[in-house]
Amino acid sequence: MIRVDRDGAVCVVRIDRPDRRNALRPRDLDALADAVGEASAPVVYLCGEGAAFCAGADLDVVSGLDREGARDLAARGQRVVRAFEAAEAVVVAGVDGPARGGGVELALGCDLRVATPAASFAEPGVSLGLFGAWGGTARLARICGEGDAMDLALSGRTVDAETARGMGLVSRVVEDPRAVADEVAAHPPDALAALKRRMRDDAPVATQEAREVEAFADLVAAHADDIAAGRDGD
């Protein structure tokens, strides 16, 4: 199941199936996409309950799928990751414990990935004759680079948090990833949303720059008093 709790400027979205290492069924994927898409807080903090972040798709479900069911499961997982990217909120993944397969793909869709020293990452699908189909082949190479992405996907090996940081899979390794979500949430929500839109923009560079100009002008107008106070404070 997916649990949602608002805590100030942070909406905590928790995958809560610790007995299954937070493995996801189709209904869990739908609930996860809806929870993030409907979040009213400026920051969403995604985490898992218990000793794992997320084991990916529930293999009890996958083992019973026919071809059409497999297509549906992949499409639902991709919808979740797209929902993370499209959300107005900044989505922070707090990875504590194992992230496997689809769990890695969920993290790849987040705007910021933070791990604890106990985190580990693997794309073990190849050992079952599969691969990550929740957008992993589209995002892993873009985020980690082709060499590391191929290594993870083709070997199925497990990497620890510091190795993942060296690959760019996570940006920080800290004891408390939630503190990073709070750090982000301390900033003005409109600035956070504008930054996410600009960083996520895949339009041609000239178009991106034109949009950047307008977004910057909007923020300067909205925060004139804060800017003046900051200048005077220096």
Side-chain angles (χ1 to χ4, degrees):
M1 64 177 290
I2 305 301
R3 289 198 288 115
V4 181
D5 299 291
R6 177 72 181 260
D7 184 7
V10 178
C11 178
V12 179
V13 176
R14 189 181 307 273
I15 307 169
D16 190 6
R17 292 190 76 204
D19 58 318
R20 297 289 296 168
R21 295 203 310 164
N22 298 320
L24 296 166
R25 301 157 294 186
R27 63 180 178 272
D28 301 318
L29 290 169
D30 293 342
L32 189 53
D34 291 343
V36 174
E38 296 169 4
S40 58
V43 174
V44 169
Y45 179 66
L46 176 68
C47 60
E49 181 67 24
F53 174 69
C54 178
D58 190 326
L59 292 181
D60 287 348
V61 173
V62 176
S63 64
L65 295 176
D66 59 13
R67 190 177 185 87
E68 193 56 39
R71 285 195 186 100
D72 179 70
L73 182 66
R76 288 183 192 224
Q78 291 175 3
R79 174 180 173 248
V80 173
V81 178
R82 289 197 303 271
F84 291 179
E85 293 174 337
E88 185 79 0
V90 173
V91 184
V92 179
V95 182
D96 186 20
R100 300 288 184 266
V104 174
E105 294 178 283
L106 294 183
L108 290 173
C110 295
D111 303 305
L112 186 60
R113 292 168 295 282
V114 185
T116 71
S120 62
F121 302 81
E123 287 279 11
V126 68
S127 66
L128 303 174
L130 302 172
F131 63 84
W134 294 352
T137 58
R139 293 176 178 84
L140 190 60
R142 187 182 74 222
I143 290 170
C144 296
E146 184 177 299
D148 284 330
M150 284 288 193
D151 181 17
L152 284 173
L154 296 176
S155 70
R157 73 187 180 103
T158 299
V159 299
D160 62 20
E162 285 295 345
T163 302
R165 188 173 69 86
M167 293 177 172
L169 184 53
V170 298
S171 61
R172 300 195 212 178
V173 179
V174 298
E175 293 294 336
D176 181 11
R178 169 59 198 275
V180 178
D182 291 335
E183 176 186 326
V184 173
H187 300 299
D190 56 347
L192 295 176
L195 271 167
K196 174 170 178 171
R197 284 194 296 270
R198 299 282 52 80
M199 298 288 280
R200 288 285 191 188
D201 197 344
D202 60 359
V205 172
T207 302
Q208 289 188 46
E209 290 178 340
R211 292 170 178 170
E212 186 178 77
V213 166
E214 294 306 315
F216 179 72
D218 289 343
L219 291 174
V220 168
H223 294 281
D225 292 343
D226 295 332
I227 296 166
R231 178 202 62 199
D232 294 342
D234 288 340

